[in-house]
Amino acid sequence: MLRLITDFDGPIVDVSERYYRVYQFCLEKTRRSDQAVQELSKVEFWQLKRSRVPEKQIALNSGLDEAQAVEFAQLRRQTVHTEPYFAYDTLVPGAVEALLKIQEAGIDLAVMTMRRVWELDYAFQKFQLGRFFPENRCYCLTNDYVKTRDIEDKPLLMAKAIAELPAVADSWMIGDTEADITAAKKHGIKAIAVESGIRDRAQLEFYQPDLIVRDLSTAVNLILEGKLSQPQPIYIP
C-alpha cells in the first residue's frame, strides 16, 4: 500500500491572507500616531515571507525603527495563531479535489502539521476536511506543546507517526517548508515540495526534496499516473 503524509498549511490551506492581515494589524499597532510608514502590498509582503525575510526586516522595510521592529516581531508571534485571524485562511485551489482522488484511489492518507489540536479542529470544521483524516491519521501539536523550531519539532512528529502507523510499501511526504523536507529525509521518506505555500522555489531547492511541484493536485496526479521514476531531484511546473 502507498501512504501520503501531507502538511496542512501550504498544500491544503492558503494562509497568505491571514499572515498579511496580521502584518497590517501589527504595523498599525506599532507605529506612532504621527509616524508615516510604508505599508507593503500583499504581493510584496508574501514575496518577502516566501523568501524567508525575517519579521524584523519586514518591519524595517515598512518604515518602523529598530525598537519598533522588535516590538512588531513580538506582537506578530503573539497574534498570528489566534482565532480571529484563522477566519482569513482559504483552501488552496484544487486541494479538496486532490484529497478526493487520494481517497478514491485507496491510498493511506495522513496529515502532519505544526498546528495545535484546536487549530486543526477549527480548520477541519470550517472547511469540512475531517472526512479525509480520521483521528488516527492526524499528527499535530498538543494544545500545551512548547514549540522550539518547526525544523526540530516536525521530525519528532514524523517519528511518532512511523512508530504508530502500520507499515506500508511506500511513503511520500508532501509539504511546503524545510521542516517537511527535513522530517521526511531524516526518516527515509521521499519528499515532495509544493510551491503553493510559504516558501518559494529557491528556498525549497536549498533543502533538496525529491520533487518540487506547483501544488497538491500536481503531486497527486503524478503519483496516480506513476510518473515519479525520473532522476531526482526534479522540478515540474
Side-chain angles (χ1 to χ4, degrees), residues 2 28 47 51 63 81 92 101 116-117 127 139 174 177 189 200 220 223 231 233 236:
L2 173 64
E28 181 59 29
Q47 285 176 341
S51 59
H81 298 300
V92 172
K101 285 183 180 180
R116 299 184 185 279
V117 170
F127 299 116
Y139 289 88
I174 301 175
T177 72
I189 293 174
D200 60 23
V220 169
I223 290 170
I236 297 180

mmCIF file with all atom_site columns, all heavy atoms in Angstrom, residues 2 28 47 51 63 81 92 101 116-117 127 139 174 177 189 200 220 223 231 233 236:
data_model
loop_
_atom_site.group_PDB
_atom_site.id
_atom_site.type_symbol
_atom_site.label_atom_id
_atom_site.label_alt_id
_atom_site.label_comp_id
_atom_site.label_asym_id
_atom_site.label_entity_id
_atom_site.label_seq_id
_atom_site.pdbx_PDB_ins_code
_atom_site.Cartn_x
_atom_site.Cartn_y
_atom_site.Cartn_z
_atom_site.occupancy
_atom_site.B_iso_or_equiv
_atom_site.pdbx_formal_charge
_atom_site.auth_seq_id
_atom_site.auth_comp_id
_atom_site.auth_asym_id
_atom_site.auth_atom_id
_atom_site.pdbx_PDB_model_num
ATOM 1   N N   . LEU A 1 2   ? 0.372   2.293  -0.632  1.00 0.00 ? 2   LEU A N   1
ATOM 2   C CA  . LEU A 1 2   ? 1.052   3.587  -0.670  1.00 0.00 ? 2   LEU A CA  1
ATOM 3   C C   . LEU A 1 2   ? 0.474   4.509  0.406   1.00 0.00 ? 2   LEU A C   1
ATOM 4   O O   . LEU A 1 2   ? -0.733  4.528  0.626   1.00 0.00 ? 2   LEU A O   1
ATOM 5   C CB  . LEU A 1 2   ? 0.863   4.222  -2.052  1.00 0.00 ? 2   LEU A CB  1
ATOM 6   C CG  . LEU A 1 2   ? 1.357   5.654  -2.227  1.00 0.00 ? 2   LEU A CG  1
ATOM 7   C CD1 . LEU A 1 2   ? 2.867   5.726  -2.051  1.00 0.00 ? 2   LEU A CD1 1
ATOM 8   C CD2 . LEU A 1 2   ? 0.945   6.190  -3.589  1.00 0.00 ? 2   LEU A CD2 1
ATOM 9   N N   . GLU A 1 28  ? 0.088   48.733 12.257  1.00 0.00 ? 28  GLU A N   1
ATOM 10  C CA  . GLU A 1 28  ? -0.747  49.824 12.769  1.00 0.00 ? 28  GLU A CA  1
ATOM 11  C C   . GLU A 1 28  ? -0.579  49.977 14.281  1.00 0.00 ? 28  GLU A C   1
ATOM 12  O O   . GLU A 1 28  ? -0.533  51.102 14.801  1.00 0.00 ? 28  GLU A O   1
ATOM 13  C CB  . GLU A 1 28  ? -2.210  49.561 12.416  1.00 0.00 ? 28  GLU A CB  1
ATOM 14  C CG  . GLU A 1 28  ? -3.181  50.648 12.867  1.00 0.00 ? 28  GLU A CG  1
ATOM 15  C CD  . GLU A 1 28  ? -2.869  52.024 12.272  1.00 0.00 ? 28  GLU A CD  1
ATOM 16  O OE1 . GLU A 1 28  ? -2.318  52.093 11.148  1.00 0.00 ? 28  GLU A OE1 1
ATOM 17  O OE2 . GLU A 1 28  ? -3.177  53.032 12.946  1.00 0.00 ? 28  GLU A OE2 1
ATOM 18  N N   . GLN A 1 47  ? 5.974   37.842 -0.923  1.00 0.00 ? 47  GLN A N   1
ATOM 19  C CA  . GLN A 1 47  ? 7.265   37.519 -1.539  1.00 0.00 ? 47  GLN A CA  1
ATOM 20  C C   . GLN A 1 47  ? 8.376   37.511 -0.490  1.00 0.00 ? 47  GLN A C   1
ATOM 21  O O   . GLN A 1 47  ? 9.255   36.644 -0.508  1.00 0.00 ? 47  GLN A O   1
ATOM 22  C CB  . GLN A 1 47  ? 7.588   38.536 -2.642  1.00 0.00 ? 47  GLN A CB  1
ATOM 23  C CG  . GLN A 1 47  ? 6.780   38.333 -3.920  1.00 0.00 ? 47  GLN A CG  1
ATOM 24  C CD  . GLN A 1 47  ? 7.050   39.410 -4.956  1.00 0.00 ? 47  GLN A CD  1
ATOM 25  O OE1 . GLN A 1 47  ? 7.562   40.488 -4.634  1.00 0.00 ? 47  GLN A OE1 1
ATOM 26  N NE2 . GLN A 1 47  ? 6.699   39.135 -6.203  1.00 0.00 ? 47  GLN A NE2 1
ATOM 27  N N   . SER A 1 51  ? 10.493  34.119 0.802   1.00 0.00 ? 51  SER A N   1
ATOM 28  C CA  . SER A 1 51  ? 11.954  34.069 0.692   1.00 0.00 ? 51  SER A CA  1
ATOM 29  C C   . SER A 1 51  ? 12.636  34.124 2.067   1.00 0.00 ? 51  SER A C   1
ATOM 30  O O   . SER A 1 51  ? 13.840  34.324 2.159   1.00 0.00 ? 51  SER A O   1
ATOM 31  C CB  . SER A 1 51  ? 12.472  35.194 -0.209  1.00 0.00 ? 51  SER A CB  1
ATOM 32  O OG  . SER A 1 51  ? 12.090  36.458 0.300   1.00 0.00 ? 51  SER A OG  1
ATOM 33  N N   . GLY A 1 63  ? 9.056   50.899 7.366   1.00 0.00 ? 63  GLY A N   1
ATOM 34  C CA  . GLY A 1 63  ? 9.246   52.235 7.913   1.00 0.00 ? 63  GLY A CA  1
ATOM 35  C C   . GLY A 1 63  ? 9.322   52.327 9.408   1.00 0.00 ? 63  GLY A C   1
ATOM 36  O O   . GLY A 1 63  ? 9.409   53.437 9.959   1.00 0.00 ? 63  GLY A O   1
ATOM 37  N N   . HIS A 1 81  ? -1.357  33.201 15.369  1.00 0.00 ? 81  HIS A N   1
ATOM 38  C CA  . HIS A 1 81  ? -2.070  31.947 15.585  1.00 0.00 ? 81  HIS A CA  1
ATOM 39  C C   . HIS A 1 81  ? -3.240  32.109 16.558  1.00 0.00 ? 81  HIS A C   1
ATOM 40  O O   . HIS A 1 81  ? -3.563  31.187 17.305  1.00 0.00 ? 81  HIS A O   1
ATOM 41  C CB  . HIS A 1 81  ? -1.101  30.874 16.097  1.00 0.00 ? 81  HIS A CB  1
ATOM 42  C CG  . HIS A 1 81  ? -0.013  30.547 15.124  1.00 0.00 ? 81  HIS A CG  1
ATOM 43  N ND1 . HIS A 1 81  ? -0.258  30.052 13.857  1.00 0.00 ? 81  HIS A ND1 1
ATOM 44  C CD2 . HIS A 1 81  ? 1.331   30.665 15.221  1.00 0.00 ? 81  HIS A CD2 1
ATOM 45  C CE1 . HIS A 1 81  ? 0.885   29.877 13.225  1.00 0.00 ? 81  HIS A CE1 1
ATOM 46  N NE2 . HIS A 1 81  ? 1.859   30.251 14.028  1.00 0.00 ? 81  HIS A NE2 1
ATOM 47  N N   . VAL A 1 92  ? -6.488  26.013 -0.713  1.00 0.00 ? 92  VAL A N   1
ATOM 48  C CA  . VAL A 1 92  ? -5.689  26.081 -1.933  1.00 0.00 ? 92  VAL A CA  1
ATOM 49  C C   . VAL A 1 92  ? -6.529  25.524 -3.078  1.00 0.00 ? 92  VAL A C   1
ATOM 50  O O   . VAL A 1 92  ? -7.144  24.462 -2.932  1.00 0.00 ? 92  VAL A O   1
ATOM 51  C CB  . VAL A 1 92  ? -4.381  25.263 -1.783  1.00 0.00 ? 92  VAL A CB  1
ATOM 52  C CG1 . VAL A 1 92  ? -3.652  25.166 -3.114  1.00 0.00 ? 92  VAL A CG1 1
ATOM 53  C CG2 . VAL A 1 92  ? -3.490  25.883 -0.721  1.00 0.00 ? 92  VAL A CG2 1
ATOM 54  N N   . LYS A 1 101 ? -9.353  12.393 -4.780  1.00 0.00 ? 101 LYS A N   1
ATOM 55  C CA  . LYS A 1 101 ? -8.658  11.434 -5.649  1.00 0.00 ? 101 LYS A CA  1
ATOM 56  C C   . LYS A 1 101 ? -7.844  10.439 -4.822  1.00 0.00 ? 101 LYS A C   1
ATOM 57  O O   . LYS A 1 101 ? -7.817  9.242  -5.107  1.00 0.00 ? 101 LYS A O   1
ATOM 58  C CB  . LYS A 1 101 ? -7.727  12.172 -6.617  1.00 0.00 ? 101 LYS A CB  1
ATOM 59  C CG  . LYS A 1 101 ? -8.418  12.875 -7.762  1.00 0.00 ? 101 LYS A CG  1
ATOM 60  C CD  . LYS A 1 101 ? -7.378  13.499 -8.692  1.00 0.00 ? 101 LYS A CD  1
ATOM 61  C CE  . LYS A 1 101 ? -8.031  14.222 -9.860  1.00 0.00 ? 101 LYS A CE  1
ATOM 62  N NZ  . LYS A 1 101 ? -7.016  14.814 -10.763 1.00 0.00 ? 101 LYS A NZ  1
ATOM 63  N N   . ARG A 1 116 ? -1.754  23.316 16.333  1.00 0.00 ? 116 ARG A N   1
ATOM 64  C CA  . ARG A 1 116 ? -2.169  22.642 17.555  1.00 0.00 ? 116 ARG A CA  1
ATOM 65  C C   . ARG A 1 116 ? -3.518  21.951 17.307  1.00 0.00 ? 116 ARG A C   1
ATOM 66  O O   . ARG A 1 116 ? -4.158  22.190 16.291  1.00 0.00 ? 116 ARG A O   1
ATOM 67  C CB  . ARG A 1 116 ? -2.285  23.648 18.704  1.00 0.00 ? 116 ARG A CB  1
ATOM 68  C CG  . ARG A 1 116 ? -0.950  24.347 19.007  1.00 0.00 ? 116 ARG A CG  1
ATOM 69  C CD  . ARG A 1 116 ? -1.064  25.264 20.210  1.00 0.00 ? 116 ARG A CD  1
ATOM 70  N NE  . ARG A 1 116 ? 0.170   26.018 20.410  1.00 0.00 ? 116 ARG A NE  1
ATOM 71  C CZ  . ARG A 1 116 ? 1.255   25.535 21.009  1.00 0.00 ? 116 ARG A CZ  1
ATOM 72  N NH1 . ARG A 1 116 ? 1.250   24.292 21.457  1.00 0.00 ? 116 ARG A NH1 1
ATOM 73  N NH2 . ARG A 1 116 ? 2.339   26.285 21.156  1.00 0.00 ? 116 ARG A NH2 1
ATOM 74  N N   . VAL A 1 117 ? -3.925  21.106 18.248  1.00 0.00 ? 117 VAL A N   1
ATOM 75  C CA  . VAL A 1 117 ? -5.162  20.339 18.087  1.00 0.00 ? 117 VAL A CA  1
ATOM 76  C C   . VAL A 1 117 ? -6.343  21.261 17.794  1.00 0.00 ? 117 VAL A C   1
ATOM 77  O O   . VAL A 1 117 ? -7.113  21.034 16.846  1.00 0.00 ? 117 VAL A O   1
ATOM 78  C CB  . VAL A 1 117 ? -5.443  19.486 19.342  1.00 0.00 ? 117 VAL A CB  1
ATOM 79  C CG1 . VAL A 1 117 ? -6.844  18.883 19.262  1.00 0.00 ? 117 VAL A CG1 1
ATOM 80  C CG2 . VAL A 1 117 ? -4.399  18.386 19.486  1.00 0.00 ? 117 VAL A CG2 1
ATOM 81  N N   . PHE A 1 127 ? -13.691 23.950 6.885   1.00 0.00 ? 127 PHE A N   1
ATOM 82  C CA  . PHE A 1 127 ? -13.592 23.501 5.505   1.00 0.00 ? 127 PHE A CA  1
ATOM 83  C C   . PHE A 1 127 ? -14.133 22.087 5.279   1.00 0.00 ? 127 PHE A C   1
ATOM 84  O O   . PHE A 1 127 ? -14.028 21.556 4.176   1.00 0.00 ? 127 PHE A O   1
ATOM 85  C CB  . PHE A 1 127 ? -12.121 23.541 5.052   1.00 0.00 ? 127 PHE A CB  1
ATOM 86  C CG  . PHE A 1 127 ? -11.507 24.908 5.099   1.00 0.00 ? 127 PHE A CG  1
ATOM 87  C CD1 . PHE A 1 127 ? -10.443 25.177 5.954   1.00 0.00 ? 127 PHE A CD1 1
ATOM 88  C CD2 . PHE A 1 127 ? -11.984 25.942 4.306   1.00 0.00 ? 127 PHE A CD2 1
ATOM 89  C CE1 . PHE A 1 127 ? -9.855  26.438 6.001   1.00 0.00 ? 127 PHE A CE1 1
ATOM 90  C CE2 . PHE A 1 127 ? -11.411 27.209 4.351   1.00 0.00 ? 127 PHE A CE2 1
ATOM 91  C CZ  . PHE A 1 127 ? -10.348 27.459 5.192   1.00 0.00 ? 127 PHE A CZ  1
ATOM 92  N N   . TYR A 1 139 ? -1.578  14.025 12.838  1.00 0.00 ? 139 TYR A N   1
ATOM 93  C CA  . TYR A 1 139 ? -0.398  14.284 13.665  1.00 0.00 ? 139 TYR A CA  1
ATOM 94  C C   . TYR A 1 139 ? -0.183  15.792 13.756  1.00 0.00 ? 139 TYR A C   1
ATOM 95  O O   . TYR A 1 139 ? 0.143   16.447 12.769  1.00 0.00 ? 139 TYR A O   1
ATOM 96  C CB  . TYR A 1 139 ? 0.826   13.561 13.093  1.00 0.00 ? 139 TYR A CB  1
ATOM 97  C CG  . TYR A 1 139 ? 0.705   12.078 13.307  1.00 0.00 ? 139 TYR A CG  1
ATOM 98  C CD1 . TYR A 1 139 ? 0.059   11.277 12.361  1.00 0.00 ? 139 TYR A CD1 1
ATOM 99  C CD2 . TYR A 1 139 ? 1.158   11.488 14.476  1.00 0.00 ? 139 TYR A CD2 1
ATOM 100 C CE1 . TYR A 1 139 ? -0.101  9.907  12.583  1.00 0.00 ? 139 TYR A CE1 1
ATOM 101 C CE2 . TYR A 1 139 ? 0.998   10.123 14.704  1.00 0.00 ? 139 TYR A CE2 1
ATOM 102 C CZ  . TYR A 1 139 ? 0.366   9.336  13.750  1.00 0.00 ? 139 TYR A CZ  1
ATOM 103 O OH  . TYR A 1 139 ? 0.186   7.993  13.993  1.00 0.00 ? 139 TYR A OH  1
ATOM 104 N N   . ILE A 1 174 ? 4.362   15.285 1.580   1.00 0.00 ? 174 ILE A N   1
ATOM 105 C CA  . ILE A 1 174 ? 4.091   16.471 0.766   1.00 0.00 ? 174 ILE A CA  1
ATOM 106 C C   . ILE A 1 174 ? 4.032   17.685 1.687   1.00 0.00 ? 174 ILE A C   1
ATOM 107 O O   . ILE A 1 174 ? 3.256   17.707 2.638   1.00 0.00 ? 174 ILE A O   1
ATOM 108 C CB  . ILE A 1 174 ? 2.768   16.330 -0.010  1.00 0.00 ? 174 ILE A CB  1
ATOM 109 C CG1 . ILE A 1 174 ? 2.810   15.098 -0.917  1.00 0.00 ? 174 ILE A CG1 1
ATOM 110 C CG2 . ILE A 1 174 ? 2.478   17.592 -0.818  1.00 0.00 ? 174 ILE A CG2 1
ATOM 111 C CD1 . ILE A 1 174 ? 1.494   14.820 -1.639  1.00 0.00 ? 174 ILE A CD1 1
ATOM 112 N N   . THR A 1 177 ? 7.645   23.466 3.284   1.00 0.00 ? 177 THR A N   1
ATOM 113 C CA  . THR A 1 177 ? 8.729   24.114 4.033   1.00 0.00 ? 177 THR A CA  1
ATOM 114 C C   . THR A 1 177 ? 9.908   23.167 4.227   1.00 0.00 ? 177 THR A C   1
ATOM 115 O O   . THR A 1 177 ? 9.812   21.954 4.012   1.00 0.00 ? 177 THR A O   1
ATOM 116 C CB  . THR A 1 177 ? 8.273   24.586 5.428   1.00 0.00 ? 177 THR A CB  1
ATOM 117 O OG1 . THR A 1 177 ? 8.082   23.435 6.260   1.00 0.00 ? 177 THR A OG1 1
ATOM 118 C CG2 . THR A 1 177 ? 7.000   25.410 5.365   1.00 0.00 ? 177 THR A CG2 1
ATOM 119 N N   . ILE A 1 189 ? 11.883  8.917  4.138   1.00 0.00 ? 189 ILE A N   1
ATOM 120 C CA  . ILE A 1 189 ? 10.659  9.046  3.342   1.00 0.00 ? 189 ILE A CA  1
ATOM 121 C C   . ILE A 1 189 ? 10.903  10.055 2.225   1.00 0.00 ? 189 ILE A C   1
ATOM 122 O O   . ILE A 1 189 ? 11.553  11.077 2.433   1.00 0.00 ? 189 ILE A O   1
ATOM 123 C CB  . ILE A 1 189 ? 9.483   9.485  4.244   1.00 0.00 ? 189 ILE A CB  1
ATOM 124 C CG1 . ILE A 1 189 ? 9.148   8.360  5.220   1.00 0.00 ? 189 ILE A CG1 1
ATOM 125 C CG2 . ILE A 1 189 ? 8.264   9.873  3.429   1.00 0.00 ? 189 ILE A CG2 1
ATOM 126 C CD1 . ILE A 1 189 ? 8.101   8.721  6.252   1.00 0.00 ? 189 ILE A CD1 1
ATOM 127 N N   . ASP A 1 200 ? 9.368   29.902 -1.345  1.00 0.00 ? 200 ASP A N   1
ATOM 128 C CA  . ASP A 1 200 ? 9.493   29.963 -2.793  1.00 0.00 ? 200 ASP A CA  1
ATOM 129 C C   . ASP A 1 200 ? 10.395  28.824 -3.281  1.00 0.00 ? 200 ASP A C   1
ATOM 130 O O   . ASP A 1 200 ? 10.982  28.074 -2.496  1.00 0.00 ? 200 ASP A O   1
ATOM 131 C CB  . ASP A 1 200 ? 10.002  31.333 -3.259  1.00 0.00 ? 200 ASP A CB  1
ATOM 132 C CG  . ASP A 1 200 ? 11.369  31.695 -2.699  1.00 0.00 ? 200 ASP A CG  1
ATOM 133 O OD1 . ASP A 1 200 ? 12.136  30.787 -2.314  1.00 0.00 ? 200 ASP A OD1 1
ATOM 134 O OD2 . ASP A 1 200 ? 11.679  32.909 -2.648  1.00 0.00 ? 200 ASP A OD2 1
ATOM 135 N N   . VAL A 1 220 ? -0.401  14.791 -6.585  1.00 0.00 ? 220 VAL A N   1
ATOM 136 C CA  . VAL A 1 220 ? -1.292  13.626 -6.572  1.00 0.00 ? 220 VAL A CA  1
ATOM 137 C C   . VAL A 1 220 ? -1.443  13.046 -7.973  1.00 0.00 ? 220 VAL A C   1
ATOM 138 O O   . VAL A 1 220 ? -1.392  11.823 -8.162  1.00 0.00 ? 220 VAL A O   1
ATOM 139 C CB  . VAL A 1 220 ? -2.661  14.015 -5.979  1.00 0.00 ? 220 VAL A CB  1
ATOM 140 C CG1 . VAL A 1 220 ? -3.681  12.904 -6.193  1.00 0.00 ? 220 VAL A CG1 1
ATOM 141 C CG2 . VAL A 1 220 ? -2.525  14.313 -4.494  1.00 0.00 ? 220 VAL A CG2 1
ATOM 142 N N   . ILE A 1 223 ? 1.650   11.045 -8.868  1.00 0.00 ? 223 ILE A N   1
ATOM 143 C CA  . ILE A 1 223 ? 1.693   9.784  -8.126  1.00 0.00 ? 223 ILE A CA  1
ATOM 144 C C   . ILE A 1 223 ? 0.714   8.778  -8.727  1.00 0.00 ? 223 ILE A C   1
ATOM 145 O O   . ILE A 1 223 ? 1.066   7.615  -8.977  1.00 0.00 ? 223 ILE A O   1
ATOM 146 C CB  . ILE A 1 223 ? 1.398   10.021 -6.637  1.00 0.00 ? 223 ILE A CB  1
ATOM 147 C CG1 . ILE A 1 223 ? 2.573   10.758 -5.977  1.00 0.00 ? 223 ILE A CG1 1
ATOM 148 C CG2 . ILE A 1 223 ? 1.124   8.711  -5.909  1.00 0.00 ? 223 ILE A CG2 1
ATOM 149 C CD1 . ILE A 1 223 ? 2.288   11.253 -4.580  1.00 0.00 ? 223 ILE A CD1 1
ATOM 150 N N   . PRO A 1 231 ? 14.981  11.034 -12.815 1.00 0.00 ? 231 PRO A N   1
ATOM 151 C CA  . PRO A 1 231 ? 16.120  11.356 -11.942 1.00 0.00 ? 231 PRO A CA  1
ATOM 152 C C   . PRO A 1 231 ? 15.738  12.413 -10.917 1.00 0.00 ? 231 PRO A C   1
ATOM 153 O O   . PRO A 1 231 ? 14.927  13.286 -11.199 1.00 0.00 ? 231 PRO A O   1
ATOM 154 C CB  . PRO A 1 231 ? 17.169  11.887 -12.922 1.00 0.00 ? 231 PRO A CB  1
ATOM 155 C CG  . PRO A 1 231 ? 16.784  11.284 -14.237 1.00 0.00 ? 231 PRO A CG  1
ATOM 156 C CD  . PRO A 1 231 ? 15.292  11.200 -14.231 1.00 0.00 ? 231 PRO A CD  1
ATOM 157 N N   . PRO A 1 233 ? 16.969  15.286 -7.679  1.00 0.00 ? 233 PRO A N   1
ATOM 158 C CA  . PRO A 1 233 ? 15.682  15.962 -7.556  1.00 0.00 ? 233 PRO A CA  1
ATOM 159 C C   . PRO A 1 233 ? 15.253  16.580 -8.883  1.00 0.00 ? 233 PRO A C   1
ATOM 160 O O   . PRO A 1 233 ? 16.083  16.906 -9.705  1.00 0.00 ? 233 PRO A O   1
ATOM 161 C CB  . PRO A 1 233 ? 15.947  17.057 -6.524  1.00 0.00 ? 233 PRO A CB  1
ATOM 162 C CG  . PRO A 1 233 ? 17.394  17.358 -6.684  1.00 0.00 ? 233 PRO A CG  1
ATOM 163 C CD  . PRO A 1 233 ? 18.070  16.062 -7.062  1.00 0.00 ? 233 PRO A CD  1
ATOM 164 N N   . ILE A 1 236 ? 8.877   20.080 -11.528 1.00 0.00 ? 236 ILE A N   1
ATOM 165 C CA  . ILE A 1 236 ? 7.801   20.000 -12.510 1.00 0.00 ? 236 ILE A CA  1
ATOM 166 C C   . ILE A 1 236 ? 6.898   21.198 -12.323 1.00 0.00 ? 236 ILE A C   1
ATOM 167 O O   . ILE A 1 236 ? 6.290   21.362 -11.249 1.00 0.00 ? 236 ILE A O   1
ATOM 168 C CB  . ILE A 1 236 ? 6.998   18.695 -12.339 1.00 0.00 ? 236 ILE A CB  1
ATOM 169 C CG1 . ILE A 1 236 ? 7.921   17.487 -12.595 1.00 0.00 ? 236 ILE A CG1 1
ATOM 170 C CG2 . ILE A 1 236 ? 5.818   18.662 -13.298 1.00 0.00 ? 236 ILE A CG2 1
ATOM 171 C CD1 . ILE A 1 236 ? 7.253   16.153 -12.458 1.00 0.00 ? 236 ILE A CD1 1
#
